Amino acid sequence: NAGVMQNPRHLVRRRGQEARLRCSPMKGHSHVYWYRQLPEEGLKFMVYLQKENIIDESGMPKERFSAEFPKEGPSILRIQQVVRGDSAAYFCASSVLSSSYNEQFFGPGTRLTVL
Amino acid sequence: TQLLEQSPQFLSIQEGENLTVYCNSSSVFSSLQWYRQEPGEGPVLLVTVVTGGEVKKLKRLTFQFGDARKDSSLHITAAQPGDTGLYLCAGFGTGNQFYFGTGTSLTVIP
């Protein structure tokens, strides 16, 4: 049973370009969470999605950032017109929620470098 | 937002020593997870605790969930260099959200 997959693992973009980060959740998981992490820091929540729905995007900047989780295919985190401050590691996690026991499993992350 | 504070933020100890990491909040969580993250990798789930007062052991690691389900601790016995990493706690709370602690960076010196 494959774990959470993310690609690419490393992404280099120049200022003003677009970055697309992909996340395939674990089989059977319908909840996806995206986080951002700067070096030596903890995880910062960005967005929580279920299939075809954005549940909570309170941690995601209103401009340039968007996320989707279509009925078919991976979840996508899209950053338009990247700036140097967007350089970070971006992690996605998936979960299957039950009434009493909930766990998240993380992918290996995408390290975005903006030149 | 349900905040989780971890302490200490940084910890550097000699191999063989014991240590405890704390995860505290004023909020109640239905469950709490502990993760370890190594450089360049994603966090790896170590354990989930659900019941107030619950204690779980994973080899030399002991995890405890507070009676009121607001706090947790991670105790490592006889630390080894392989224990080095960033330890994160996360509580499952309102809005089906996982609220992450601030992290504890552990270095075990051989």
Side-chain angles (χ1 to χ4, degrees):
Chain A
N1 192 15
V4 179
M5 311 282 284
Q6 287 189 251
N7 68 82
R9 291 292 306 272
H10 300 274
L11 182 60
V12 179
R13 286 288 179 264
R14 297 190 179 279
R15 282 180 296 170
Q17 291 184 320
E18 178 181 285
R20 282 194 179 219
L21 288 62
R22 295 174 183 79
C23 169
S24 296
M26 287 179 69
K27 186 177 181 180
H29 286 194
S30 58
H31 300 259
V32 166
Y33 303 77
W34 284 92
Y35 298 88
R36 170 189 161 112
Q37 187 178 41
L38 294 172
E40 305 298 325
E41 293 189 7
L43 295 166
K44 301 294 184 188
F45 166 76
M46 297 183 72
V47 61
Y48 162 37
L49 310 103
Q50 293 180 26
K51 285 281 188 181
E52 299 185 275
N53 284 304
I54 297 175
I55 306 302
D56 184 346
E57 55 183 350
S58 59
M60 197 161 64
K62 294 287 187 287
E63 297 181 354
R64 302 189 299 109
F65 285 73
S66 62
E68 62 177 7
F69 188 15
K71 186 177 180 180
E72 301 291 336
S75 175
I76 306 286
L77 178 67
R78 182 182 178 202
I79 311 173
Q80 294 178 292
Q81 299 175 344
V82 295
V83 300
R84 289 218 173 105
D86 296 332
S87 295
Y90 292 84
F91 293 96
C92 84
S94 73
S95 178
V96 54
L97 302 185
S98 69
S99 59
S100 59
Y101 203 85
N102 299 289
E103 295 176 325
Q104 262 187 341
F105 296 90
F106 281 84
T110 294
R111 276 137 194 93
L112 172 65
T113 302
V114 180
L115 302 177
Chain B
T1 300
Q2 296 175 269
L3 295 176
L4 279 164
E5 294 286 338
Q6 281 185 242
S7 62
Q9 186 177 358
F10 297 97
L11 189 56
S12 181
I13 62 171
Q14 294 289 330
E15 182 176 359
E17 292 183 350
N18 302 333
L19 67 113
T20 302
V21 176
Y22 299 94
C23 175
N24 295 306
S25 177
S26 58
S27 302
V28 176
F29 296 99
S30 58
S31 65
L32 191 136
Q33 293 78 42
W34 283 93
Y35 297 82
R36 180 170 67 217
Q37 184 181 23
E38 298 186 13
E41 301 295 331
V44 174
L45 180 65
L46 297 174
V47 77
T48 296
V49 285
V50 179
T51 306
E54 183 177 4
V55 176
K56 281 191 174 179
K57 292 193 174 185
L58 185 66
K59 296 184 180 178
R60 293 176 294 100
L61 278 61
T62 302
F63 305 86
Q64 184 163 9
F65 202 12
D67 291 340
R69 290 184 290 132
K70 293 182 179 181
D71 52 78
S72 181
S73 63
L74 157 60
H75 183 78
I76 302 179
T77 303
Q80 299 177 1
D83 296 327
T84 293
L86 178 67
Y87 288 82
L88 296 161
C89 65
F92 184 72
T94 57
N96 285 342
Q97 285 278 21
F98 293 86
Y99 296 88
F100 276 83
T102 45
T104 295
S105 180
L106 171 65
T107 302
V108 181
I109 303 166

